[in-house]
Every structure is written in structure tokens, then in C-alpha cells.
């Protein structure tokens, strides 16, 4: 979004820590489930059992089974694992891109600043999904294409925040004093500016992560993402579309719900972290 | 700060630059794609076409020339209004887009208005009494929806209303097997309902959150305190101070969210098989229909960038201290 909106000042207080702790707890549970699933269910959970095709949720299969008799819970957790890995990579690359561009933009050259600003406008002027489709089309789909597509579309907001941060710190009195004492540009960058950037980068990463997961799922759902054989959430949901008319609701409900829970958790954690690093709560 | 005309002029030049930049990047991306345009064109006939014929097609389309020349030719043709030929729909791209746009614009326009009106009202309601239970419910709703995948909402709506309750049709923009001229307005609305609800639900969340924040700010302002001191009731204050002051920021957000609206419509149209611009985008991407994909990219960029520009101008009107978005960020930081 091109326009920034100020938020009223709010200070971090105890009643706001509650949701963050709950979210962290659920996130840890999800991560544990993903790690456990790697060796607990192993192949057995994903193995097809044609006798138990399309069974509604039961104690044996909490999320029911799909058209090949595979456990939907196991596939969903596998899907989340895939999503997390892609989201982690994409958000990480996005943060790196944002940092580099912010440094270039704030380097002092007006030309560089306007080029970065034009790039930002271009990325924001295209609907995310259209750009994602284009990039994924250009790279021929697959995991790498999704990671690159999501990474390349998510940097603009963070770039603006980091750029503002650099400009603010650079004009601060203590940096001027440091400069007057004859400290080199490198010293100032290393000791005065970087410590201010790192918290913003971490918050940016945690906030980008759920977005990256959402976009990966959307892209995969539309058929531009991961290959159909993989148990990604987007693929589970697009497969479920074929069985909805037959009343197999569990195929559509549960994978999406777990995705929602994961995204919500990281969103809450990210916002909590932001409130911690920026008590004014000034940036959205 | 410069005069108004200068401000708008700078925005327009920027818009033109953005469009040209997107055209170049999109063209490069399409060239970069491993999908061969001739293969995509031939489809199943691929086995019957020899290398000589392929060379002929390539020559006719100008594919044998360097990419730079191709780009200049393509771009100048776009500027004269010739968008090319869509292989997928076997029709000129301009016709496909205008036809698809007509069914999409109803969906997106209505969703846009609904999410604006409902989101604004909810935001005012929540922001008038921060911390009350209605505020908590609205905030919870908005936060959860902000994290929900659009297509999953659409699938849930389909499960509940089309499959479970059988209230709404399962797909498309009209009953299957009817000629377009026989479809009544009621049938159209019936088919539009579910995609519309799906698309609006998500838009509402964002507008509500922004309006709420703005409203809280206003309720804490000096002029509201003064109005209270004069004996104004809460309803009075909300209507005369709240609504007036939050309307412009809300409209600004609404214009700035056009990109998300289009993204949402791609997903919603896919789930409901609604024949709009969004599903045409998917078709074009999957079948490698490059002219259509590029034209849609340019059109949506124009659409969204104009929205962003309007939002920028409105933001300027709403708060004359800020001359552009980039300075807002500086302002926040200082």
C-alpha cells in the first residue's frame, strides 16, 4: 500500500502479552507436530489405503481420509512443513532484498532514492497475485519459482520502514557527534545504524512469514506453485474442490483451518514483537 | 510544498513511468518463460507441424527478431490500441478483456462498495467505545479474517451454502445451458451472491481496522472533549465529528486496496468458476497465452496504480501537512 497510516500511541502492557504467549504456544505446538510427523507418521501416514477412501473424520483419522485413503491430518501437517520451509526462505530473501534496497535508497544519492522508490511503486502497482503468477510463469513453476516469486513481491513495505529508520538514525545528534569525532562511515554504519536495523529486520521477517505462507498457498491453489504430487496446503485444497459436490467437506475444511491457525499465530507474534521493539506502535 | 497542479502532474508522470516499467518487466518475464509460445499455440497439433512451418509462424509473429525489437514492436502496438490475439479464447485480446471485465466489474465493484460501507460502519462502531465487547468482537473478526486465505473462505461458503444448504448455485455466472440473453437479472444476482460475499468479507476487515484506529484517535481529540463539555451526546459526536473525520481516510484505504481486491477476485472467481477477468488470468497463465497475460498485467497495473494515485491525492487532501507517501514514512520516523 502506498499510503501509510499512523496509529495512536500505545504502550506495551501486560494485557497485550496474553495473546502473544498463546500464539507462541500454538506455534511451538505446530512446529513440534511438524518435526514429530517427520518420523512418527513417516511414510505410513501418507501411504494410500484404498479400503479407507474418503472417510469422514473419526478417532482413527481425526481429519478424515482423502480419495486414496490417505490421512488428511498427516498430509496437512506435511503441507504445513512445506509451507513453513518456503515461507522461511521467501521471507528471509525478502528481508535481504529490503535491507539492500533501503541502504541504497538512504545512501544519499537522490537518483538511487528515486529508482528504489519507482521500483517500490511498480511492485505495489501490480496486484501481488498477478505478479506472482507472472514470475511463476516465467520460471516454469516449482518450489524455487514460488520462493523467488514470493520473495520478490514482499519487500516494499519493509524497504520503506528500513529506509526511514536509516535516515532517522543518520540525522540523529549522536551520529553527528560521532562523525565530528572523525569516525569512519563504516564505523557509524556498524555501530550506530546496524543496531537499529536489526530489530526492524527481525520484526519484518516475522510479519512477512505468514504473508509468504498465504501467498504460497494461493499460488499453489491456482496451479502456478508446487507440483501436484506434493502435499502442499494449496494442492490439498484444490484437490478438495473436486469432492465438495459429493459432500466431502472435511477435505476442504481442515487443511485451510490449520493454515489459518498457523498464519494467525505468526501474525500475532510479529505484532507483539513490533510492540516490544517500537513502544510507540507507530508503524503498520 | 508546491502547488496542486504540480503535485498531480508529478503523480501522473510517476504513473506513466510505473506502467512503462511494468510493461518492460512483464515482457521480459514472458520471454524468460520456458513455455514456448509456438508450442502453446499449436497445442495437440504439435506433432503435425514440421520445423519449416514453425519457422514460418515464428517469422509471422516476429519471434525470429531480437527481444529488444520485439518489445518495441509489441509496446508500440499496445499504444495504438492493438493488444494482440488470444489463442486460448480464439478472439482478439481486447474483446476477451472487455467481455470478462464486464462480468468482473460487477463483482468487484459491488464487493468494493459493500466492504467500504460495512467496514466503515463496523470501524466507527468499534472505535467509538474502544475496549467494549462490540469492539473486541469486531477486532477479533478483523484480525482473524486478515489471516484467512481468500480461497479457503470461498471453499467454506461453497461447502455451507451450495452443497450443504443448497441455497446458492455451485458455479458460473448463469445457469448452465441457458443462452446469455435468456438469463434473468435475478438469476445473475443469485449466481453473483456467493462470490460477492466471499470477496466482501475480506475487504471489510481491513477498512474496519483502519477506521477503528482513526476513530479512537478522534474520540481522544480536544474537539471531541470540547463537544462533550458543551453537552453533546455520544451519538451526536459520532455523527458530527467521527464520521466526517474518518470518512476520507477510509475512502483512501479503499482506493489503496484495489490490488488486494483484484487478487481476491482471481481466487474467488477460480473457486466459483465465475467467468471474469480473474479466471481469464489463470487460463492465460496455465495455457501460456502470452498476449492475454501481458494485456491483463498492464490493465490491472493501470487499475491499481490509478487507485494508489487517487489514494495518495486523497491522503494529501485529508492531511495537507503530508505531501506524499514517502514523506509520511519519514514523518512517522521523526
Amino acid at each position: 500500500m502506498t499510503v501509510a497510516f499512523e496509529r495512536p500511541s500505545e504502550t506495551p502492557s501486560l494485557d497485550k502479552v496474553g495473546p502473544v504467549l498463546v500464539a507462541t504456544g500454538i506455534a511451538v505446538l505446530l512446529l513440534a507436530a511438524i518435526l514429530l510427523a517427520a518420523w512418527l507418521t513417516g511414510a505410513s501416514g501418507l501411504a494410500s489405503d484404498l479400503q479407507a477412501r474418503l472417510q469422514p473424520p473419526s478417532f482413527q483419522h481425526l481429519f478424515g481420509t482423502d480419495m486414496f485413503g490417505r490421512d488428511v491430518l498427516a498430509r496437512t501437517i506435511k503441507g504445513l512443513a512445506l509451507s513453513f520451509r518456503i515461507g522461511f526462505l521467501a521471507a528471509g530473501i525478502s528481508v535481504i532484498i529490503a535491507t539492500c534496497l533501503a541502504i541504497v535508497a538512504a545512501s544519499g544519492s537522490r537518483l538511487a532514492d528515486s529508482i528504489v522508490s519507482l521500483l517500490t511503486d511498480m511492485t505495489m502497482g501490480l496486484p501481488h497475485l498477478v505478479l506472482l503468477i507472472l514470475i511463476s510463469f516465467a520460471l516454469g513453476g516449482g518450489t524455487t519459482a514460488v520462493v523467488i516469486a514470493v520473495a520478490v513481491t514482499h519487500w516494499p513495505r519493509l524497504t520503506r520502514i528500513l529506509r526511514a529508520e536509516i535516515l532517522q538514525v543518520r540525522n540523529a545528534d549522536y551520529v553527528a557527534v560521532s562523525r565530528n569525532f572523525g569516525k569512519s562511515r563504516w564505523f557509524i554504519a556498524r555501530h550506530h545504524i546496524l543496531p537499529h536495523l536489526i530489530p526492524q529486520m527481525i520484526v519484518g521477517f516475522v510479519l512477512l512469514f505468514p504473508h509468504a505462507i498465504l501467498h504460497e498457498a494461493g499460488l499453489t491453489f491456482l496451479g502456478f506453485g508446487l507440483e501436484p504430487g506434493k502435499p502442499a496446503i494449496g494442492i490439498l485444497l484444490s484437490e478438495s474442490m473436486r469432492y465438495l459436490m459429493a459432500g466431502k467437506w472435511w477435505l476442504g475444511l481442515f487443511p485451510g483451518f490449520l493454515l489459518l491457525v498457523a498464519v494467525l499465530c505468526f501474525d500475532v507474534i510479529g505484532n507483539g514483537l513490533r510492540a516490544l521493539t517500537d513502544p510507540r506502535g507507530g508503524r503498520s | 510544498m508546491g502547488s496542486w497542479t504540480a503535485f498531480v502532474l508529478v503523480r501522473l508522470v510517476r504513473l506513466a513511468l510505473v506502467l512503462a516499467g511494468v510493461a518492460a518487466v512483464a515482457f521480459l518475464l514472458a520471454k524468460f518463460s520456458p513455455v514456448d509460445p509456438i508450442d502453446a499455440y499449436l497445442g495437440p497439433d504439435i506433432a503435425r507441424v514440421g520445423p519449416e512451418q514453425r519457422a514460418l509462424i515464428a517469422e509471422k509473429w516476429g519471434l525470429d527478431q531480437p527481444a529488444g525489437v520485439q518489445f518495441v514492436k509489441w509496446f508500440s502496438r499496445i499504444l495504438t490500441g492493438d493488444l494482440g490475439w488470444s489463442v486460448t479464447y480464439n478472439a482478439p485480446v481486447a474483446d476477451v478483456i472487455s467481455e470478462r471485465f464486464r462480468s468482473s466489474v460487477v463483482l468487484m465493484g459491488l464487493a468494493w462498495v459493500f466492504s467500504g460501507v460495512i467496514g466503515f460502519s463496523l470501524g466507527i462502531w468499534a472505535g467509538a467505545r474502544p475496549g467494549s465487547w462490540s469492539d473486541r468482537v469486531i477486532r477479533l473478526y478483523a484480525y482473524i479474517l486478515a489471516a484467512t486465505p481468500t480461497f479457503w473462505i470461498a471453499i467454506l461458503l461453497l461447502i455451507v451454502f451450495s452443497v450443504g444448504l443448497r441455497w446458492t448455485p455451485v458455479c458460473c455466472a448463469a445457469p448452465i445451458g441457458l443462452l446469455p440473453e435468456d438469463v434473468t437479472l435475478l438469476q445473475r444476482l443469485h449466481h453473483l451472491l456467493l462470490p460477492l460475499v466471499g470477496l466482501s468479507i475480506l475487504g471489510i476487515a481491513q477498512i474496519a481496522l483502519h477506521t477503528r484506529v482513526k476513530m479512537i484517535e478522534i474520540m481522544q481529540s480536544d474537539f471531541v472533549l470540547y463537544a462533550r463539555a458543551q453537552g453533546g451526546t455520544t451519538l451526536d459526536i459520532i455523527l458530527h465529528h467521527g464520521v466526517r473525520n474518518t470518512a476520507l481516510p477510509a475512502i483512501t484505504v479503499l482506493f489503496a486496496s484495489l490490488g488486494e481486491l483484484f487478487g481476491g477476485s482471481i481466487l474467488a472467481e477460480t473457486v466459483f468458476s465465475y467467468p471474469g477477468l480473474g479466471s481469464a488470468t489463470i487460463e492465460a497463465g496455465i495455457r501460456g497465452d502470452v498476449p492475454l497475460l501481458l494485456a491483463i498485467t498492464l490493465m490491472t497495473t493501470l487499475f491499481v496504480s490509478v487507485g494508489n494515485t487517487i489514494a495518495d491525492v486523497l491522503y494529501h487532501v485529508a492531511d495537507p501537512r503530508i505531501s506524499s507517501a514517502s514523506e509520511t514514512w519519514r514523518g512517522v520516523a521523526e
Side-chain angles (χ1 to χ4, degrees):
Chain A
M1 209 183 302
T2 322
V3 188
F5 303 92
E6 288 178 56
R7 295 197 168 186
S9 52
E10 35 190 60
T11 43
S13 57
L14 270 179
D15 62 78
K16 287 195 178 139
V17 175
V20 178
L21 288 181
V22 173
T24 315
I26 299 175
V28 168
L29 266 179
L30 279 176
L31 282 172
I34 286 171
L35 290 177
L36 274 178
W39 59 271
L40 227 168
T41 57
S44 72
L46 293 174
S48 44
D49 175 7
L50 292 177
Q51 308 247 289
R53 291 175 66 225
L54 292 169
Q55 291 199 344
S58 60
F59 281 112
Q60 209 178 355
H61 299 289
L62 280 178
F63 285 9
T65 59
D66 70 357
M67 59 283 185
F68 296 123
R70 292 172 292 191
D71 186 56
V72 176
L73 177 62
R75 293 196 83 201
T76 306
I77 287 176
K78 286 267 179 207
L80 269 188
L82 263 177
S83 289
F84 275 27
R85 201 181 318 151
I86 290 172
F88 192 82
L89 280 173
I93 296 173
S94 231
V95 170
I96 294 171
I97 296 176
T99 312
C100 293
L101 285 178
I103 290 171
V104 169
S107 64
S109 146
R110 279 196 71 143
L111 180 71
D113 196 11
S114 26
I115 290 177
V116 170
S117 157
L118 187 70
L119 272 179
T120 314
D121 273 12
M122 271 169 63
T123 318
M124 299 234 231
L126 251 170
H128 266 178
L129 212 51
V130 175
L131 186 55
L132 284 170
I133 289 173
L134 260 178
I135 295 174
S136 167
F137 174 70
L139 299 174
T143 314
T144 326
V146 174
V147 170
I148 292 175
V150 176
V152 169
T153 44
H154 280 69
W155 52 267
R157 271 186 175 193
L158 188 61
T159 304
R160 286 191 168 169
I161 292 169
L162 290 179
R163 173 183 169 278
E165 191 78 37
I166 296 175
L167 286 179
Q168 182 209 1
V169 177
R170 215 184 45 188
N171 296 332
D173 288 341
Y174 61 88
V175 173
V177 170
S178 186
R179 205 176 290 133
N180 287 346
F181 273 130
K183 297 291 186 194
S184 65
R185 282 174 74 102
W186 171 245
F187 182 90
I188 290 170
R190 171 92 181 68
H191 291 271
H192 294 308
I193 296 182
L194 195 66
H196 280 268
L197 290 190
I198 285 177
Q200 297 286 356
M201 284 161 70
I202 294 171
V203 173
F205 176 79
V206 180
L207 282 174
L208 281 178
F209 181 68
H211 269 264
I213 292 178
L214 268 186
H215 276 117
E216 178 271 321
L219 202 56
T220 306
F221 175 77
L222 292 171
F224 292 95
L226 304 181
E227 300 80 358
K230 293 200 167 150
I233 303 276
I235 285 165
L236 287 181
L237 287 175
S238 88
E239 278 174 359
S240 82
M241 292 282 297
R242 271 180 272 153
Y243 295 91
L244 286 189
M245 296 313 120
K248 315 292 182 207
W249 50 270
W250 58 91
L251 294 177
L253 178 68
F254 293 121
F257 181 71
L258 223 59
L259 181 69
L260 165 64
V261 170
V263 169
L264 199 57
C265 281
F266 283 99
D267 227 30
V268 171
I269 294 173
N271 278 314
L273 278 180
R274 188 178 62 190
L276 270 184
T277 56
D278 182 18
R280 285 167 299 157
R283 301 178 189 93
S284 62
Chain B
M1 195 200 302
S3 67
W4 261 102
T5 38
F7 174 72
V8 174
L9 215 64
V10 167
R11 292 277 119 195
L12 285 180
V13 169
R14 248 190 128 71
L15 184 63
L17 275 176
V18 164
L19 275 178
V22 167
V25 170
F27 187 83
L28 259 178
L29 283 175
K31 275 281 140 229
F32 199 63
S33 171
V35 180
D36 185 67
I38 300 179
D39 286 351
Y41 170 65
L42 293 173
D45 293 335
I46 193 162
R48 286 192 277 151
V49 176
E52 297 87 4
Q53 277 171 299
R54 293 184 70 100
L56 273 177
I57 297 174
E59 200 189 316
K60 188 173 169 241
W61 287 357
L63 290 176
D64 49 349
Q65 283 158 332
V69 178
Q70 283 183 43
F71 174 70
V72 171
K73 279 193 174 165
W74 170 75
F75 197 61
S76 52
R77 255 187 291 141
I78 292 258
L79 288 181
T80 59
D82 175 16
L83 297 178
W85 184 268
S86 161
V87 180
T88 318
Y89 296 98
N90 210 12
V93 169
D95 290 0
V96 175
I97 288 188
S98 69
E99 191 207 319
R100 290 299 177 123
F101 186 70
R102 244 175 287 152
S103 53
S104 265
V105 84
V106 182
L107 173 64
M108 288 199 284
L110 283 177
W112 197 61
V113 172
F114 280 148
S115 53
V117 172
I118 300 172
F120 183 66
S121 321
L122 287 180
I124 295 272
W125 187 13
R129 283 193 206 85
S132 63
W133 68 266
S134 54
D135 175 42
R136 278 161 192 264
V137 170
I138 292 171
R139 217 166 31 161
L140 189 70
Y141 162 85
Y143 274 131
I144 290 180
L145 279 178
T148 314
T150 319
F151 57 100
W152 186 61
I153 287 269
I155 289 178
L156 284 191
L157 287 173
L158 211 55
I159 291 176
V160 175
F161 293 105
S162 293
V163 179
L165 297 170
R166 299 193 181 278
W167 286 355
T168 46
V170 171
C171 93
C172 318
I176 301 164
L178 269 185
L179 289 173
E181 52 268 26
D182 295 340
V183 183
T184 60
L185 186 68
L186 204 66
Q187 280 173 326
R188 268 186 216 288
L189 285 178
H190 193 204
H191 282 80
L192 189 69
L193 193 65
L194 227 45
L196 184 60
V197 171
L199 206 50
S200 306
I201 283 179
L202 291 158
I204 288 171
Q206 209 197 358
I207 307 288
L209 278 180
H210 279 301
T211 309
R212 173 184 170 270
V213 168
K214 209 75 202 167
M215 190 68 191
I216 292 175
E217 207 174 290
I218 285 165
M219 293 309 274
Q220 288 168 346
S221 69
D222 290 343
F223 60 83
V224 166
L225 190 69
Y226 186 62
R228 262 193 219 288
Q230 281 189 322
T233 60
T234 308
L235 189 69
D236 248 9
I237 291 169
I238 291 173
L239 286 181
H240 290 116
H241 298 290
V243 171
R244 280 190 192 182
N245 283 301
T246 43
L248 209 50
I251 294 172
T252 311
V253 180
L254 214 49
F255 272 105
S257 65
L258 282 178
E260 278 161 57
L261 182 72
F262 189 79
S265 85
I266 293 183
L267 290 161
E269 284 176 14
T270 307
V271 174
F272 295 109
S273 321
Y274 190 85
L277 209 52
S279 44
T281 317
I282 303 305
E283 281 293 302
I286 288 183
R287 304 249 196 117
D289 190 345
V290 175
L292 184 58
L293 192 59
L294 288 182
I296 290 177
T297 306
L298 277 184
M299 210 191 106
T300 50
T301 309
L302 181 69
F303 187 63
V304 173
S305 299
V306 167
N308 282 345
T309 309
I310 294 175
D312 245 15
V313 174
L314 280 180
Y315 202 59
H316 189 67
V317 178
D319 195 345
R321 285 168 301 177
I322 296 149
S323 67
S324 77
S326 52
E327 284 177 33
T328 318
W329 286 90
R330 217 175 291 153
V332 170
E334 270 163 14

